[in-house]
Amino acid sequence: MRKRKAVLMSIAFTAICCTCLGQAERVSKDEERDWINHVLPLPHEIAIASKITVPPDRIGFLLPSNAGATEMKAVGELKAFIQRGTGIRPAGNGFTIVVGVPDQDGMICGRKLGSIDRLRSVPNREQAYVIEPIGDDQLIVAGLHPKGVYYGTVTLRQLLSRQIDDKAVMIPAARIADWPDLAVRGTWSHNVDADTKAWRIGLKLNCATRATAFHLTGRNKNGPTWEDWKFVGPQTDEAAQLGLFEHITFTPHFNFAEWHGWFEKYYPELLGKGPEAWQVAEGADFGPPRQFQCVCASNPLFVDLLASQMEAHARHGIMRVHCWTTEFFGQCGCDSCKGKNQFVLETHALLKASARVRENYPDFRMIPFYSFSTSDLAGVRAKKLPPDTAQRVVDVLRGSDAEEIIRACYGGPIGEDPPFDELVSNGKTLISWALTPDLNLEGFRSYVGSYRGRIARMIRAGWRGALAFTHRSLHKEKQLADSYPALKLAAIAEWSWNNKGRDMPELARAWATVNNYACPEKFVEFLALMQPVEDRFRWGQHFTFTWQIGAFREAVEGRAEWPFVPGDERDKLTRACRQAEHAAGETDVPSWTLEARLASAMVDLNYAAGDTVRAVREKAKVDPAWQVFERAADRMQESLTSRETLYGLSHASLRNNLTAFREQVSNVVRLVSSRK
C-alpha cells in the first residue's frame, strides 16, 4: 500500500510538473541570493527573476550545425551532470537549452540573442559568455568563442545543482553576462591529477605548472642536440587540446640543482665562475643551508644547449615553454661575464636560442621567467643585485620577439613591477607569478587579501594573468571541498575572474553553500574564530617545526626571544579554538573539526615551549611546562594521524620535525634537571 501510494504521488508530481512546464514562478530576493551563492566565481552581471520546474526527461539540447569539439564537450558534460543528478538521460523536447556561438547577426539556431553584443566590449571576450531565457521554455548559453560557451555551461551546471533529482530540475531564468578580469588564472603547483584538474576547471581556473618534460642525458661530441634530451613528461590531454586548461611546462632556474647537475656532469665549463656566482640560503626557515650556483651565460655553448632543449620540446609538440632565469642573485665572474648584468646575459641567451628554434618551428614560444629581487628571500641576501636590473632586462625584452613574459612578484609592496609595466604598452603579454605563501588559511584577511589587491593593480596596469603559489598536496578528490588549500584556491579563482567579487565572509558562505555544508553561517563563524590563530601562528604553514627548532634553541641560549609568552592571548586563542571546533561540528564536515583540534594543540605546544624557556632562564622548575608541552605534542601526533587517514596523505616530514622539536625540548629539560 505504501509503495502504491508513493507511485501515485510520483505520478501526480510529474503531472503537476508537466502542467507547470512553461509557467515561470517568481523568485524572491532571498532565493535569488541563495541561488547566486551556488556559483563560483561570482559572475560580473547576474539576475534571477523567475524559475521553471521541469521533469528531467523533458529537457533537451540544441546546438548549431557548425558546433565544434569544445561546444560538444560542454553539452556532453552538462548532459552527464543532469543524468547523474536525476538518473534520467535528458533527451526531451519540453524545455530546450540552446548552446553555441551565434553568427555575426546574433542568431543561434534561429533564435535572436539580444545580449551577445554586451560581450564585444568586455575584457578577455574570448572567454566571456551570456545566459539568457527566451520565453518560458528555452534558455540560451552563448559566447563569442567556444571557450566562453564552455564557461557558460559550467555556470549553468552550478545553478542547476541547487535543486535537481529524479522528479524535477529547477531551472533559473537567469540573465548573466560574464567574463574574466584576467585571461590566465591558475596556480604554481605541480600535483594536478585528473580529478583535481576537472575540479579546477569547474572554478574557471585554466592553468597549472608541471616540471620540465626533458632531462639531459649526455654530451654530443658535435655539440648539443635535441637527441641528448630524454622526454619524461605527460602527454597533452583533451582539455589542453581545446585550450581549456594548460599544463605549463617550465624549465627550472638555471642556478638550481637540476641544471647544476647537468652542468657538473656534462658541461662543467657552463658553471658560473668565482664566489659571486654562489648564493647560500641561511636555512633558518627551511632546514640546512642550501647553495645555488649561477650559469656562465656569456658562453656561446649555453645558447647551443638551450636551443637543443627547446627543439626537443618542439619535436614533442610542446610549443610553449617557460624558461626560469637565475633565482635570487648570482653573477658569473669570468672575463666575458664580468661587468655585465647576469640577467641581461641570460635574456640574450634565451632569445638567441628561441630564434634559432623558431626558424624550423615558427609556432614555438619561449616565455622568459624572472624572479630576481632586492628582497631577502628564503634567507638569501640579495642586496648585491644591481638596482637597475629590472629596467635593463625590460630594455632588452622591449625590442625582442618575446611575446609573453612572466614576472614573479614576491610578497609585500610591488616595487619592482613598474619597469615591467612598460612592456604592456609595448604590446607584450605580462603574467605574474604572484607569490602567496604555501599556507592553508593565513591571509584570507591579510596576505591573500593583499593578493587580491595585487591582482587589482595588475588588472589596472594591463597584465594578462596571474598564477599563485599554493598547496602542492591538494591532489586527492576528497580534499577538493573540505580543506584549507581548496578554499584558498576558490579565493584565487574568485579574485582572478571577478576581482570585485565577494569578500572573504561572502566567499566562505558561497563555498559552504556549493559544498552542501549543513549550516553555511557556522562555517563563516568558524573562519572568523580561526582568524586570530591564523594571525598569530601563520597557521597554514603546516606547523613549520624546522623554524621552531632553531627559534627555541636561540631563545634558550638567550640570543632571541621566544615569540609565544604566557598571558591573556593564550587563553583567547585556546577559547577561539574550542569555539571554532564547536562551529565546525555544526557544519557536519569532519575536516574542519580536525583543523580546530590541530590548532588547539599548536597553541598549547608553543606556549608550553615558552613556559619552558622562561623556567630555564629563571632557573625555576621546568617539569610542569614540559609535561604540558608533551601532552600537546601527543595531541598533535594523534591529529596528524587522523589527518592522514582522512585525506590519504603522508605527514612523515611533519612527524619527523615534530619529533625533533620534542627531543630538543626534552634535552633542555634533562640538562636543566641534571644541574640541580
Coordinates of all heavy atoms in Angstrom, one line a residue, residues 451-522:
Y451 N 46.9 39.6 -1.9 CA 46.9 39.0 -3.2 C 45.8 39.6 -4.1 O 46.0 39.9 -5.3 CB 46.8 37.5 -3.1 CG 46.7 36.8 -4.4 CD1 47.8 36.5 -5.1 CD2 45.4 36.4 -4.9 CE1 47.7 35.8 -6.3 CE2 45.3 35.7 -6.1 CZ 46.5 35.4 -6.8 OH 46.4 34.8 -8.0
R452 N 44.6 39.7 -3.5 CA 43.5 40.3 -4.2 C 43.8 41.7 -4.7 O 43.6 42.1 -5.8 CB 42.2 40.3 -3.4 CG 41.0 40.8 -4.1 CD 39.8 40.9 -3.1 NE 38.6 41.2 -3.8 CZ 37.4 41.3 -3.2 NH1 37.4 41.2 -1.9 NH2 36.4 41.6 -3.8
G453 N 44.4 42.5 -3.8 CA 44.8 43.9 -4.1 C 45.9 43.9 -5.2 O 45.9 44.7 -6.1
R454 N 46.8 42.9 -5.1 CA 47.8 42.8 -6.2 C 47.2 42.5 -7.5 O 47.6 43.1 -8.5 CB 48.8 41.7 -5.8 CG 49.8 41.4 -6.9 CD 50.9 40.6 -6.3 NE 51.7 41.4 -5.4 CZ 52.6 40.9 -4.6 NH1 52.9 39.7 -4.6 NH2 53.2 41.7 -3.7
I455 N 46.2 41.6 -7.6 CA 45.6 41.3 -8.8 C 44.9 42.6 -9.3 O 44.9 42.8 -10.5 CB 44.5 40.2 -8.6 CG1 45.2 38.9 -8.2 CG2 43.7 39.9 -9.9 CD1 46.3 38.4 -9.1
A456 N 44.2 43.3 -8.5 CA 43.6 44.6 -8.9 C 44.5 45.5 -9.5 O 44.2 46.1 -10.6 CB 42.9 45.2 -7.7
R457 N 45.7 45.6 -8.9 CA 46.7 46.5 -9.5 C 47.2 46.0 -10.9 O 47.4 46.8 -11.8 CB 47.9 46.6 -8.6 CG 49.1 47.4 -9.1 CD 50.4 46.8 -8.8 NE 51.5 47.5 -9.5 CZ 51.8 47.3 -10.7 NH1 51.2 46.3 -11.4 NH2 52.8 47.9 -11.3
M458 N 47.3 44.7 -11.0 CA 47.8 44.2 -12.3 C 46.7 44.4 -13.4 O 47.0 44.6 -14.6 CB 48.1 42.7 -12.2 CG 49.4 42.5 -11.4 SD 49.7 40.8 -11.0 CE 51.2 41.0 -10.1
I459 N 45.4 44.2 -13.0 CA 44.3 44.5 -14.0 C 44.4 45.9 -14.4 O 44.3 46.2 -15.6 CB 43.0 44.1 -13.3 CG1 42.9 42.6 -13.0 CG2 41.8 44.6 -14.2 CD1 41.7 42.3 -12.1
R460 N 44.6 46.8 -13.5 CA 44.7 48.2 -13.9 C 45.8 48.5 -14.8 O 45.8 49.3 -15.7 CB 44.8 49.1 -12.7 CG 43.5 49.2 -11.8 CD 43.6 50.3 -10.8 NE 44.7 50.1 -9.9 CZ 44.6 49.5 -8.7 NH1 43.5 48.9 -8.4 NH2 45.7 49.4 -7.9
A461 N 46.9 47.8 -14.6 CA 48.2 48.0 -15.4 C 48.1 47.3 -16.7 O 49.0 47.5 -17.5 CB 49.4 47.6 -14.6
G462 N 47.1 46.4 -16.9 CA 47.0 45.7 -18.2 C 47.7 44.4 -18.3 O 47.8 43.8 -19.4
W463 N 48.1 43.8 -17.1 CA 48.7 42.5 -17.1 C 47.6 41.5 -17.5 O 46.4 41.7 -17.2 CB 49.2 42.2 -15.7 CG 50.5 42.9 -15.4 CD1 50.6 44.3 -15.5 CD2 51.7 42.4 -14.9 NE1 51.9 44.7 -15.1 CE2 52.6 43.5 -14.7 CE3 52.2 41.2 -14.6 CZ2 53.9 43.4 -14.2 CZ3 53.5 41.0 -14.1 CH2 54.3 42.1 -13.9
R464 N 48.0 40.4 -18.1 CA 47.0 39.4 -18.7 C 46.7 38.2 -17.8 O 45.7 37.5 -18.0 CB 47.5 38.9 -20.0 CG 47.5 40.0 -21.1 CD 46.2 39.9 -21.8 NE 46.0 38.7 -22.6 CZ 44.9 38.2 -23.0 NH1 43.7 38.9 -22.7 NH2 44.8 37.1 -23.7
G465 N 47.5 38.0 -16.8 CA 47.3 36.8 -16.0 C 48.1 36.8 -14.7 O 49.0 37.6 -14.5
A466 N 47.7 35.8 -13.8 CA 48.4 35.7 -12.5 C 48.3 34.2 -12.1 O 47.3 33.6 -12.2 CB 47.9 36.6 -11.5
L467 N 49.4 33.7 -11.6 CA 49.4 32.4 -11.0 C 49.9 32.5 -9.6 O 50.9 33.2 -9.3 CB 50.4 31.4 -11.8 CG 49.9 31.1 -13.2 CD1 50.5 32.1 -14.2 CD2 50.4 29.7 -13.6
A468 N 49.2 31.8 -8.7 CA 49.5 31.9 -7.3 C 50.2 30.6 -6.8 O 49.8 29.5 -7.2 CB 48.3 32.2 -6.5
F469 N 51.2 30.8 -6.0 CA 51.8 29.6 -5.3 C 50.8 29.1 -4.3 O 50.3 29.9 -3.5 CB 53.1 30.0 -4.7 CG 53.9 28.8 -4.1 CD1 54.7 28.1 -5.0 CD2 53.7 28.4 -2.9 CE1 55.4 27.0 -4.5 CE2 54.4 27.3 -2.4 CZ 55.3 26.6 -3.2
T470 N 50.5 27.8 -4.4 CA 49.6 27.3 -3.4 C 49.9 25.9 -3.1 O 50.9 25.3 -3.5 CB 48.1 27.3 -4.0 OG1 47.2 27.0 -3.0 CG2 47.9 26.4 -5.2
H471 N 49.1 25.2 -2.3 CA 49.4 24.0 -1.7 C 49.7 22.9 -2.7 O 48.8 22.6 -3.5 CB 48.3 23.6 -0.7 CG 48.8 22.7 0.4 ND1 48.9 21.3 0.3 CD2 49.3 23.0 1.6 CE1 49.4 20.8 1.4 NE2 49.6 21.8 2.2
R472 N 50.8 22.2 -2.6 CA 51.1 21.2 -3.6 C 50.5 19.8 -3.2 O 50.5 18.9 -4.1 CB 52.7 21.0 -3.6 CG 53.4 22.2 -4.1 CD 54.9 21.9 -4.3 NE 55.6 23.1 -4.6 CZ 56.8 23.2 -5.1 NH1 57.4 22.1 -5.3 NH2 57.4 24.3 -5.3
S473 N 50.0 19.6 -2.1 CA 49.5 18.3 -1.7 C 48.0 18.2 -2.0 O 47.4 17.2 -1.7 CB 49.7 18.0 -0.2 OG 48.9 19.0 0.6
L474 N 47.4 19.2 -2.6 CA 46.0 19.1 -3.0 C 45.8 18.2 -4.2 O 45.7 18.7 -5.3 CB 45.4 20.5 -3.2 CG 43.9 20.6 -3.5 CD1 43.1 20.2 -2.3 CD2 43.5 22.0 -3.9
H475 N 45.7 16.9 -4.0 CA 45.6 16.0 -5.2 C 44.7 14.9 -4.9 O 44.5 14.0 -5.8 CB 47.0 15.5 -5.5 CG 47.6 14.6 -4.5 ND1 48.2 15.1 -3.4 CD2 47.7 13.3 -4.4 CE1 48.6 14.1 -2.6 NE2 48.4 13.0 -3.2
K476 N 44.0 14.9 -3.8 CA 43.0 13.8 -3.5 C 41.6 14.3 -3.7 O 41.3 15.4 -3.3 CB 43.2 13.3 -2.1 CG 44.5 12.6 -1.8 CD 44.6 11.2 -2.5 CE 45.9 10.5 -2.2 NZ 45.9 9.2 -2.8
E477 N 40.8 13.5 -4.3 CA 39.4 14.0 -4.7 C 38.7 14.5 -3.4 O 38.0 15.5 -3.5 CB 38.7 12.9 -5.4 CG 37.3 13.4 -5.9 CD 36.6 12.3 -6.7 OE1 37.1 11.1 -6.8 OE2 35.6 12.6 -7.4
K478 N 38.8 13.8 -2.3 CA 38.0 14.1 -1.2 C 38.6 15.4 -0.5 O 38.0 15.9 0.5 CB 37.9 13.0 -0.2 CG 39.2 12.4 0.3 CD 38.9 11.2 1.2 CE 40.2 10.4 1.5 NZ 39.9 9.2 2.2
Q479 N 39.7 15.9 -0.9 CA 40.2 17.2 -0.4 C 39.6 18.4 -1.1 O 39.7 19.5 -0.6 CB 41.7 17.3 -0.6 CG 42.6 16.4 0.3 CD 44.0 16.6 0.0 OE1 44.6 15.9 -0.8 NE2 44.6 17.6 0.5
L480 N 38.9 18.1 -2.2 CA 38.5 19.2 -3.0 C 37.4 20.1 -2.4 O 37.2 21.2 -2.9 CB 38.0 18.7 -4.4 CG 39.1 17.9 -5.2 CD1 38.5 17.5 -6.5 CD2 40.3 18.7 -5.3
A481 N 36.7 19.7 -1.4 CA 35.7 20.5 -0.8 C 35.9 20.8 0.6 O 35.3 21.7 1.2 CB 34.3 19.8 -1.0
D482 N 36.8 20.1 1.3 CA 36.9 20.2 2.7 C 38.3 20.5 3.3 O 38.6 20.0 4.4 CB 36.4 18.8 3.3 CG 35.0 18.5 2.8 OD1 34.3 19.4 2.6 OD2 34.7 17.3 2.8
S483 N 39.0 21.3 2.6 CA 40.4 21.6 3.1 C 40.7 23.1 2.9 O 40.1 23.8 2.1 CB 41.4 20.8 2.4 OG 41.5 21.2 1.1
Y484 N 41.6 23.6 3.8 CA 42.1 25.0 3.6 C 42.7 25.2 2.3 O 42.4 26.3 1.6 CB 43.1 25.3 4.7 CG 42.5 25.6 6.1 CD1 42.9 25.0 7.2 CD2 41.5 26.6 6.2 CE1 42.4 25.4 8.5 CE2 40.9 26.9 7.4 CZ 41.4 26.3 8.5 OH 40.9 26.7 9.7
P485 N 43.5 24.4 1.7 CA 44.1 24.6 0.4 C 43.0 24.8 -0.7 O 43.1 25.6 -1.5 CB 45.0 23.4 0.1 CG 45.3 22.9 1.5 CD 44.1 23.2 2.3
A486 N 41.9 23.9 -0.6 CA 40.9 24.0 -1.6 C 40.1 25.4 -1.5 O 39.8 26.0 -2.5 CB 39.9 22.9 -1.4
L487 N 39.9 25.8 -0.2 CA 39.2 27.1 0.0 C 40.1 28.2 -0.5 O 39.6 29.2 -1.1 CB 38.9 27.3 1.5 CG 38.2 28.6 1.8 CD1 36.8 28.7 1.1 CD2 37.9 28.6 3.4
K488 N 41.4 28.1 -0.3 CA 42.3 29.2 -0.8 C 42.2 29.2 -2.3 O 42.2 30.3 -2.9 CB 43.7 28.9 -0.3 CG 44.7 29.9 -0.8 CD 46.1 29.5 -0.4 CE 47.1 30.4 -1.0 NZ 48.5 30.1 -0.6
L489 N 42.2 28.0 -3.0 CA 42.1 28.0 -4.4 C 40.8 28.7 -4.9 O 40.8 29.4 -5.9 CB 42.1 26.6 -4.9 CG 43.5 26.0 -5.1 CD1 43.4 24.5 -5.5 CD2 44.3 26.7 -6.1
A490 N 39.7 28.5 -4.1 CA 38.5 29.2 -4.5 C 38.6 30.7 -4.5 O 38.1 31.4 -5.3 CB 37.3 28.7 -3.6
A491 N 39.3 31.2 -3.4 CA 39.6 32.6 -3.3 C 40.4 33.1 -4.5 O 40.1 34.2 -5.1 CB 40.3 32.9 -2.0
I492 N 41.4 32.3 -4.9 CA 42.3 32.7 -6.0 C 41.4 32.7 -7.3 O 41.5 33.6 -8.1 CB 43.4 31.7 -6.2 CG1 44.4 31.9 -5.0 CG2 44.1 31.8 -7.5 CD1 45.4 30.8 -4.8
A493 N 40.6 31.7 -7.5 CA 39.7 31.7 -8.6 C 38.7 32.8 -8.7 O 38.5 33.5 -9.7 CB 38.9 30.3 -8.6
E494 N 38.1 33.1 -7.5 CA 37.2 34.2 -7.5 C 37.8 35.6 -7.9 O 37.3 36.3 -8.7 CB 36.6 34.3 -6.0 CG 35.7 35.5 -5.8 CD 34.2 35.2 -6.0 OE1 33.9 34.0 -6.3 OE2 33.4 36.1 -5.9
W495 N 39.0 35.9 -7.3 CA 39.5 37.2 -7.4 C 40.3 37.4 -8.7 O 40.6 38.5 -9.1 CB 40.4 37.5 -6.2 CG 39.5 37.6 -5.0 CD1 38.2 38.0 -4.9 CD2 39.9 37.3 -3.6 NE1 37.7 37.9 -3.6 CE2 38.8 37.5 -2.8 CE3 41.1 36.8 -3.1 CZ2 38.8 37.2 -1.4 CZ3 41.1 36.6 -1.7 CH2 40.0 36.8 -0.9
S496 N 40.7 36.3 -9.4 CA 41.3 36.5 -10.7 C 40.3 36.5 -11.8 O 40.5 37.0 -12.9 CB 42.3 35.4 -10.9 OG 41.8 34.1 -10.8
W497 N 39.1 35.9 -11.6 CA 38.0 36.0 -12.5 C 37.2 37.3 -12.3 O 36.9 38.0 -13.3 CB 37.1 34.8 -12.4 CG 35.9 34.8 -13.4 CD1 34.7 35.5 -13.2 CD2 35.9 34.2 -14.6 NE1 33.9 35.3 -14.3 CE2 34.6 34.5 -15.2 CE3 36.7 33.3 -15.3 CZ2 34.2 34.0 -16.5 CZ3 36.3 32.8 -16.6 CH2 35.1 33.2 -17.1
N498 N 36.8 37.6 -11.1 CA 36.0 38.7 -10.8 C 36.6 39.4 -9.6 O 36.2 39.1 -8.4 CB 34.5 38.3 -10.5 CG 33.6 39.5 -10.2 OD1 34.1 40.7 -10.1 ND2 32.4 39.3 -10.1
N499 N 37.5 40.3 -9.8 CA 38.3 40.9 -8.7 C 37.5 41.7 -7.7 O 37.8 41.8 -6.5 CB 39.5 41.7 -9.2 CG 40.5 42.1 -8.2 OD1 40.5 43.3 -7.8 ND2 41.2 41.1 -7.7
K500 N 36.4 42.2 -8.2 CA 35.4 42.9 -7.3 C 34.3 42.1 -6.8 O 33.3 42.6 -6.4 CB 34.9 44.1 -8.1 CG 36.0 45.2 -8.4 CD 35.4 46.4 -9.2 CE 36.5 47.4 -9.5 NZ 36.0 48.5 -10.3
G501 N 34.5 40.8 -6.8 CA 33.5 39.8 -6.4 C 33.4 39.8 -4.9 O 33.5 40.8 -4.2
R502 N 33.2 38.7 -4.3 CA 32.9 38.5 -2.9 C 34.1 38.8 -2.0 O 35.2 38.6 -2.4 CB 32.4 37.1 -2.6 CG 31.2 36.6 -3.4 CD 31.0 35.2 -3.1 NE 29.8 34.7 -3.8 CZ 29.8 34.0 -4.9 NH1 30.9 33.7 -5.5 NH2 28.6 33.5 -5.4
D503 N 33.8 39.3 -0.8 CA 34.9 39.4 0.2 C 34.9 38.0 0.9 O 34.2 37.1 0.5 CB 34.6 40.5 1.2 CG 33.3 40.3 2.0 OD1 32.8 39.2 2.0 OD2 32.8 41.3 2.5
M504 N 35.9 37.8 1.8 CA 36.1 36.5 2.4 C 34.9 35.9 3.1 O 34.6 34.7 2.8 CB 37.3 36.5 3.3 CG 37.9 35.1 3.6 SD 38.3 34.3 2.0 CE 37.6 32.6 2.4
P505 N 34.2 36.6 3.9 CA 33.0 36.0 4.6 C 31.9 35.6 3.5 O 31.3 34.5 3.6 CB 32.5 37.1 5.5 CG 33.7 38.0 5.8 CD 34.5 38.0 4.6
E506 N 31.7 36.5 2.5 CA 30.8 36.1 1.5 C 31.2 34.9 0.7 O 30.4 34.0 0.3 CB 30.6 37.3 0.5 CG 29.9 38.5 1.2 CD 29.9 39.7 0.3 OE1 30.8 39.8 -0.6 OE2 29.0 40.6 0.4
L507 N 32.5 34.8 0.4 CA 33.1 33.7 -0.3 C 33.0 32.4 0.5 O 32.6 31.3 0.0 CB 34.6 33.9 -0.6 CG 35.3 32.8 -1.5 CD1 34.6 32.7 -2.8 CD2 36.7 33.2 -1.6
A508 N 33.2 32.5 1.8 CA 33.1 31.4 2.7 C 31.6 30.9 2.7 O 31.4 29.6 2.7 CB 33.5 31.7 4.1
R509 N 30.7 31.8 2.7 CA 29.3 31.4 2.7 C 28.9 30.7 1.4 O 28.2 29.7 1.4 CB 28.4 32.7 2.9 CG 26.9 32.4 3.1 CD 26.2 33.7 3.4 NE 26.6 34.3 4.7 CZ 27.4 35.4 4.8 NH1 27.8 36.0 3.7 NH2 27.7 35.8 6.0
A510 N 29.4 31.2 0.3 CA 29.2 30.6 -1.0 C 29.9 29.2 -1.1 O 29.3 28.2 -1.6 CB 29.7 31.5 -2.2
W511 N 31.1 29.1 -0.6 CA 31.8 27.9 -0.5 C 31.0 26.8 0.2 O 30.9 25.7 -0.2 CB 33.2 28.1 0.1 CG 34.0 26.9 0.3 CD1 34.2 26.1 1.4 CD2 34.7 26.2 -0.8 NE1 35.1 25.1 1.1 CE2 35.4 25.1 -0.2 CE3 34.9 26.5 -2.1 CZ2 36.2 24.3 -1.0 CZ3 35.7 25.6 -2.9 CH2 36.4 24.5 -2.3
A512 N 30.5 27.2 1.4 CA 29.7 26.2 2.2 C 28.4 25.9 1.5 O 28.0 24.7 1.6 CB 29.4 26.8 3.6
T513 N 27.8 26.8 0.8 CA 26.6 26.5 0.0 C 26.9 25.5 -1.1 O 26.1 24.6 -1.3 CB 26.0 27.8 -0.5 OG1 25.8 28.7 0.6 CG2 24.7 27.6 -1.3
V514 N 27.9 25.8 -1.9 CA 28.3 25.0 -3.0 C 28.5 23.5 -2.6 O 28.1 22.6 -3.2 CB 29.5 25.5 -3.8 CG1 30.1 24.5 -4.7 CG2 29.1 26.8 -4.5
N515 N 29.2 23.4 -1.4 CA 29.6 22.1 -1.0 C 28.6 21.5 0.0 O 28.9 20.5 0.7 CB 31.0 22.2 -0.3 CG 32.0 22.4 -1.4 OD1 32.3 21.6 -2.2 ND2 32.7 23.6 -1.3
N516 N 27.4 22.1 0.1 CA 26.3 21.5 0.9 C 26.6 21.3 2.3 O 26.2 20.2 2.9 CB 25.9 20.1 0.2 CG 25.4 20.2 -1.2 OD1 24.6 21.1 -1.5 ND2 25.9 19.4 -2.1
Y517 N 27.3 22.2 2.9 CA 27.5 22.2 4.4 C 26.2 22.3 5.1 O 25.3 23.0 4.6 CB 28.5 23.3 4.8 CG 29.9 23.1 4.4 CD1 30.3 22.0 3.6 CD2 30.9 24.0 4.8 CE1 31.6 21.8 3.3 CE2 32.2 23.8 4.5 CZ 32.6 22.7 3.7 OH 33.9 22.5 3.3
A518 N 26.1 21.7 6.2 CA 24.8 21.7 7.0 C 24.4 23.1 7.4 O 23.2 23.4 7.3 CB 24.9 20.8 8.2
C519 N 25.3 23.9 7.7 CA 25.0 25.3 8.1 C 26.1 26.3 7.6 O 27.1 26.4 8.3 CB 24.9 25.4 9.7 SG 24.3 26.9 10.3
P520 N 25.9 26.9 6.5 CA 26.9 27.8 5.9 C 27.3 28.9 6.9 O 28.5 29.2 6.9 CB 26.2 28.3 4.7 CG 25.2 27.3 4.3 CD 24.7 26.7 5.5
E521 N 26.4 29.4 7.6 CA 26.7 30.5 8.5 C 27.7 30.1 9.6 O 28.5 30.8 10.1 CB 25.5 31.1 9.2 CG 24.5 31.8 8.2 CD 25.2 32.9 7.5 OE1 26.1 33.6 8.0 OE2 24.9 33.1 6.3
K522 N 27.6 28.8 10.0 CA 28.6 28.3 11.0 C 30.0 28.2 10.4 O 31.0 28.3 11.2 CB 28.1 27.0 11.6 CG 26.9 27.1 12.5 CD 27.4 27.8 13.8 CE 26.3 28.0 14.8 NZ 26.7 28.7 16.0

